[in-house]
């Protein structure tokens, strides 16, 4: 650790050199700058550098290395594990770097490292183009893609990382590196699921796909009909084209106009069918779900960027998530999943999701470290609540969902969906056969494990 005099001089120089802002403990704005989506994360970095451009990022990394600080990277700040912050660390905050440049003729887009899904989706939509994004508009693009990236369009267009064409990185040595299939291919491979272990992604280039129309069917059912909803949904997706996706989810009835007043604040089951196409095609697919007795419905075309906002939750709430990827969806698991909804924390913003994979996910490239690709279904307990007094029951409920599903689990997991669950879960999220190769890439680009506030890969 550097001496106090050296640290003070370095911090003064950083404040002068950066185009963006610098915050240290005691500065006005420091507490706001260290606030992330998950209110359970309360960490106190030594320095927060809000970078305005790549030169700022390089300068901040040099500062951190000179003072022997570990470095956390903030894009969207949406990580449930709090990867954007580290106690006593330097935080490289990319939020000011959110430009999105669409190249419609090339069907590609360059996205800066601080952009959110909303920045990307809104920029691509006027061209009738899109790529796989997360299921919330506030998710940061960089962390989402590098962790694998699953969303409403994944069955049609593949995982987000399958659409990664190139990446611009600042490494632990403060060097600017570009990686694609031809340039630094081993690093490029590792970035397909290895997350933020190898450097700071200042920009990503992604493949876009034609999406002139997008449609949804959202139906609300009384919770006792859940097993019927899941079974019908299973058949709709199983017999439908890759363009169909969505989820079954239990949630607290929200105070929205389309929700009957008697269901607001009560447990409800929802069927959400998404379709990369027009309303006519959607209605044909949704007919079996519409035939079930339901309390509310929204069926029709909706801009994809708007659909991305449907499950958004406000920051500042307490979060604990996890997931289990399963080998199939037999009736026994359907009953187990639906029964567990009876114990979920209500009324809260908690969601109990079940969504399909398959399609372009399963057909995608198998050489990348995304071992959950082949699982046909995933359970995603997504606990969100306000009152710290609910911590114990919310966390226990998430663990119970996982335990229920374990007999059908593939063992693999999507790391963006989980918090701190230990090294074995990290291994499960990367794939046993990939770990040694990833560790060698880590050693080449971050031998001192400077970037460690993540689902960490240790250098070997």
């Amino acid at each position: 650790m550097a001496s106090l005099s050296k640290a003070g001089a370095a911090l003064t120089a950083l404040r002068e050199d950066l185009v963006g802002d610098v915050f240290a403990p005691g500065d006005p704005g420091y507490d706001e700058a260290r606030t992330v989506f998950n209110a359970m994360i309360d960490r106190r970095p030594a320095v927060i550098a809000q970078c305005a451009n790549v030169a700022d990022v390089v300068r901040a990394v040099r500062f951190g290395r000179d003072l022997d600080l570990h470095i956390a990277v903030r894009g969207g700040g949406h990580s449930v594990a709090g990867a954007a912050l580290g106690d006593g660390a330097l935080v490289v905050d990319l939020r000011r770097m959110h430009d999105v440049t669409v190249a419609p003729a090339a069907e590609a887009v360059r996205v800066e490292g601080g952009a959110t899904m909303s920045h990307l989706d809104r920029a691509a939509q006027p061209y009738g183009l899109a790529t796989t994004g997360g299921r919330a508009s506030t998710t940061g693009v960089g962390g989402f893609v590098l962790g694998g990236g699953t969303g409403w369009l994944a069955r049609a267009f593949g995982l987000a990382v399958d659409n990664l064409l190139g990446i611009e990185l600042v490494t632990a040595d403060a060097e600017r590196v570009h990686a694609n299939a031809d340039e630094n291919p081993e690093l490029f491979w590792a970035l397909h699921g290895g997350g933020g272990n190898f450097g700071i992604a200042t920009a990503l280039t992604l493949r876009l796909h034609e999406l002139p129309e997008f449609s949804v069917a959202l139906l609300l059912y009384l919770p006792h009909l859940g097993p019927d909803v899941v079974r019908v949904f299973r058949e709709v997706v199983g017999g439908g084209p890759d363009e169909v996706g969505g989820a079954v989810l239990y949630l607290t009835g929200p105070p929205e106009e389309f929700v009957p007043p008697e269901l607001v604040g009560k447990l409800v089951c929802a069927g959400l069918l998404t379709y990369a196409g027009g309303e006519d095609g959607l209605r044909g697919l949704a007919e079996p779900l519409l035939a079930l007795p339901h309390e509310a419905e929204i069926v029709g075309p909706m801009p994809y960027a708007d659909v991305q906002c449907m499950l958004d939750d406000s920051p500042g709430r307490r979060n604990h998530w996890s997931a289990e990827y399963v080998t199939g969806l037999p009736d026994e698991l359907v009953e187990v999943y639906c029964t567990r909804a009876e114990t979920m924390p209500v009324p809260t913003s908690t969601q109990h999701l079940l969504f399909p994979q398959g399609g372009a996910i399963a057909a995608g490239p198998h050489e990348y470290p995304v071992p959950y690709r082949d699982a046909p279904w995933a359970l995603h307990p997504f606990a969100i609540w306000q009152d710290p007094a609910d911590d114990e029951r919310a966390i226990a409920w998430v663990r119970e969902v996982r335990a229920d599903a374990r007999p059908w689990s593939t063992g693999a997991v999507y790391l963006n969906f989980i918090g701190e669950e230990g090294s074995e879960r990290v291994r499960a999220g990367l794939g046993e056969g990939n770990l040694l190769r990833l560790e060698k890439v880590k050693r080449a680009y971050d031998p001192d494990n400077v970037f460690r506030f993540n689902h960490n890969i240790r250098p070997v």
Side-chain angles (χ1 to χ4, degrees), residues 10 28 33 45 98 105 144 157 165 167 249 252 263 300 305-306 331 339 343 346 367 375 395 453:
H98 55 71
F144 168 75
F157 301 150
L165 300 175
I167 188 161
L249 61 154
T252 299
L263 295 185
D306 292 350
D331 287 345
T339 299
T343 62
V346 174
E367 66 268 24
I395 293 170
F453 302 103

Side-chain angles (χ1 to χ4, degrees), residues 95-109:
R95 281 178 291 172
R96 294 189 179 194
M97 299 170 59
H98 55 71
D99 285 352
V100 177
T101 306
V102 179
E107 294 192 342
V109 60

Side-chain angles (χ1 to χ4, degrees), residues 189-231:
W189 170 84
L191 291 164
H192 284 70
N197 273 283
F198 311 104
I200 301 171
T202 55
L204 305 91
T205 301
L206 302 169
R207 181 185 298 109
L208 294 174
H209 302 263
E210 293 186 8
L211 189 70
E213 295 181 282
F214 195 75
S215 309
V216 300
L218 174 63
L219 295 94
L220 297 185
Y221 305 88
L222 295 177
H224 74 271
L225 290 171
D228 291 337
V229 175
V230 175
R231 285 190 288 265

Side-chain angles (χ1 to χ4, degrees), residues 56-432:
D56 273 4
V57 175
V58 170
R59 178 69 185 88
V61 172
R62 286 178 180 156
F63 163 84
R65 297 311 307 273
D66 287 346
L67 296 185
D68 196 25
L69 295 174
H70 298 135
I71 300 174
V73 183
R74 177 170 186 156
H78 205 272
S79 160
V80 67
L85 297 177
D87 284 324
L90 165 68
V91 172
V92 176
D93 186 336
L94 303 177
R95 281 178 291 172
R96 294 189 179 194
M97 299 170 59
H98 55 71
D99 285 352
V100 177
T101 306
V102 179
E107 294 192 342
V109 60
R110 181 180 181 273
V111 185
E112 287 192 329
T116 64
M117 289 316 332
S118 185
H119 292 124
L120 169 56
D121 297 335
R122 299 289 178 192
Q125 188 160 280
Y127 302 98
L129 299 169
T131 195
T132 301
R135 295 175 178 84
S137 70
T138 53
T139 302
V141 175
F144 168 75
V145 173
L146 298 185
T150 170
W152 304 130
L153 291 175
R155 280 176 43 84
F157 301 150
L159 297 172
V161 78
D162 297 342
N163 295 288
L164 180 63
L165 300 175
I167 188 161
E168 299 161 43
L169 210 67
V170 174
T171 69
D173 291 332
E175 297 294 329
R176 297 176 64 174
V177 172
H178 188 268
N180 57 32
D182 300 314
E183 188 178 0
N184 297 307
E186 189 69 1
L187 173 61
F188 190 58
W189 170 84
L191 291 164
H192 284 70
N197 273 283
F198 311 104
I200 301 171
T202 55
L204 305 91
T205 301
L206 302 169
R207 181 185 298 109
L208 294 174
H209 302 263
E210 293 186 8
L211 189 70
E213 295 181 282
F214 195 75
S215 309
V216 300
L218 174 63
L219 295 94
L220 297 185
Y221 305 88
L222 295 177
H224 74 271
L225 290 171
D228 291 337
V229 175
V230 175
R231 285 190 288 265
V232 170
F233 187 90
R234 179 182 63 190
E235 298 308 311
V236 168
V237 174
D242 291 353
E243 287 77 15
V244 66
V248 175
L249 61 154
Y250 287 88
L251 71 163
T252 299
E256 300 289 347
E257 192 173 319
F258 77 99
V259 179
E262 66 272 17
L263 295 185
V264 173
K266 307 295 185 182
L267 180 67
V268 296
C269 177
L272 173 62
L273 204 64
T274 62
Y275 182 59
E279 181 178 355
D280 289 346
L282 169 73
R283 283 194 175 272
L285 290 162
E287 190 173 332
L289 287 166
L290 289 163
L292 292 173
H294 53 281
E295 310 304 307
E297 66 176 70
I298 297 175
V299 183
M302 186 179 293
Y304 170 67
D306 292 350
V307 176
Q308 285 285 75
C309 304
M310 285 179 67
L311 297 184
D312 281 359
D313 271 296
S314 303
R317 299 179 185 179
R318 303 174 79 77
N319 285 252
H320 186 80
W321 323 332
S322 195
E324 286 292 337
Y325 283 71
V326 293
T327 55
L329 193 57
D331 287 345
E332 186 181 357
L333 178 54
V334 171
E335 294 293 337
V336 166
Y337 161 75
C338 294
T339 299
R340 183 53 61 191
E342 298 170 6
T343 62
M344 66 184 277
V346 174
T348 67
S349 297
T350 296
Q351 298 163 10
H352 185 27
L353 286 95
L354 171 68
F355 60 84
Q357 294 217 117
I361 303 171
H366 278 65
E367 66 268 24
Y368 296 135
V370 283
Y372 49 87
R373 182 186 296 280
D374 290 329
W377 291 88
L379 279 73
H380 181 27
F382 192 91
I384 310 175
W385 67 100
Q386 198 83 41
D387 188 347
D390 287 332
D391 286 3
E392 187 173 337
R393 73 171 179 138
I395 293 170
W397 175 78
V398 170
R399 290 174 177 162
E400 288 161 357
V401 174
R402 280 197 60 207
D404 287 348
R406 202 160 290 138
W408 296 274
S409 176
T410 68
V413 67
Y414 172 42
L415 292 177
N416 283 354
F417 273 173
I418 71 171
E420 297 292 342
E421 295 185 5
S423 60
E424 287 306 308
R425 283 284 269 177
V426 174
R427 186 183 298 268
L430 298 170
E432 186 72 39

